[in-house]
């Protein structure tokens, strides 16, 4: 009986996670905010407990917990969508880490973001010299957006007149 229960509960957990993830929206793993990452871990943990803990009472408790967690996530996502202050609280906001070729170390310390991480992300974007960077902004998902100084930007037809 135990194996069949685990099999059926795993199907229930998989179906619930699949459905809830589809409702909550598409996001690539590399583009997750801290809030979304933590939600993913928690969803997985509750679903794992739902899948393997045997007993009808435990199954429904875990399913209820998973559903309540989904509803809270959905609600906070909606609140963040309509309210900028809530969005800043839930997802954070982008932070300028380089301005006119100078690293803003005070902002980096606040975020616990190291110069090594910054220079690695700059190199990945093709910038090996800080003096070429006008602005670098650390996005809420951990990605780095870089605006090179005008003399280092690619030439466009508009530049040629």
């Amino acid at each position: 009986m135990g194996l069949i229960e685990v099999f059926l509960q795993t199907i229930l957990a998989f179906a619930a996670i699949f459905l809830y993830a589809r409702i909550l929206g598409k996001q690539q793993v590399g583009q997750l905010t801290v809030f979304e990452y933590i939600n993913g871990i928690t969803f997985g943990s509750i679903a794992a407990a739902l899948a393997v803990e045997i007993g009808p009472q435990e199954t429904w408790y875990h399913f209820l917990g998973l559903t309540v967690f989904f509803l809270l996530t959905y609600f906070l996502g909606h609140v963040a969508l309509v309210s900028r202050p809530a969005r800043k609280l839930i997802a954070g906001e982008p932070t300028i880490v380089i301005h006119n070729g100078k690293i803003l170390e005070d902002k980096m310390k606040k975020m616990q973001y190291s110069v090594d991480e910054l220079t690695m992300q700059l190199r990945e974007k093709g910038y090996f010299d800080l003096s070429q960077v006008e602005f670098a902004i650390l996005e809420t998902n951990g990605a780095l957006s870089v605006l090179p100084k005008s003399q280092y930007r690619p030439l466009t037809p508009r530049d040629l007149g």
Side-chain angles (χ1 to χ4, degrees):
M1 182 64 183
L3 290 177
I4 294 171
E5 262 184 281
V6 169
F7 180 76
L8 294 174
Q9 289 174 195
T10 301
I11 291 172
L12 177 64
F14 178 83
I17 287 286
F18 182 78
L19 175 67
Y20 295 163
R22 296 289 294 168
I23 292 170
L24 290 175
K26 298 176 184 176
Q27 193 82 345
Q28 290 182 356
V29 173
Q31 298 174 334
L32 295 177
T33 64
V34 172
F35 175 72
E36 294 161 338
Y37 178 72
I38 290 169
N39 269 331
I41 291 171
T42 307
F43 267 111
S45 177
I46 296 170
L50 170 61
V52 297
E53 289 191 19
I54 298 173
Q57 194 170 15
E58 289 82 4
T59 299
W60 293 113
Y61 286 159
H62 291 307
F63 185 72
L64 176 62
L66 186 63
T67 301
V68 169
F69 198 82
F70 156 74
L71 292 171
L72 289 171
T73 301
Y74 186 81
F75 173 73
L76 279 178
H78 179 71
V79 169
L81 192 61
V82 298
S83 167
R84 179 160 170 67
R87 186 170 44 254
K88 284 173 58 176
L89 180 67
I90 293 168
E93 61 183 337
T95 304
I96 297 171
V97 292
I98 296 178
H99 179 254
N100 201 19
K102 304 264 189 267
I103 296 175
L104 304 177
E105 292 185 34
D106 56 325
K107 291 188 177 186
M108 291 183 54
K109 282 180 188 174
K110 251 172 101 173
M111 295 182 312
Q112 298 182 351
Y113 183 64
S114 74
V115 173
D116 291 337
E117 289 173 288
L118 174 64
T119 54
M120 176 189 71
Q121 285 188 297
L122 284 169
R123 288 189 302 271
E124 287 174 347
K125 298 233 177 247
Y127 297 98
F128 290 80
D129 184 358
L130 283 176
S131 67
Q132 296 180 351
V133 179
E134 181 77 28
F135 284 103
I137 301 170
L138 187 62
E139 305 293 351
T140 58
N141 63 4
L144 189 69
S145 297
V146 180
L147 176 67
K149 291 183 177 176
S150 59
Q151 61 267 32
Y152 298 106
R153 292 184 197 145
L155 194 60
T156 66
R158 182 175 172 214
D159 295 330
L160 299 173

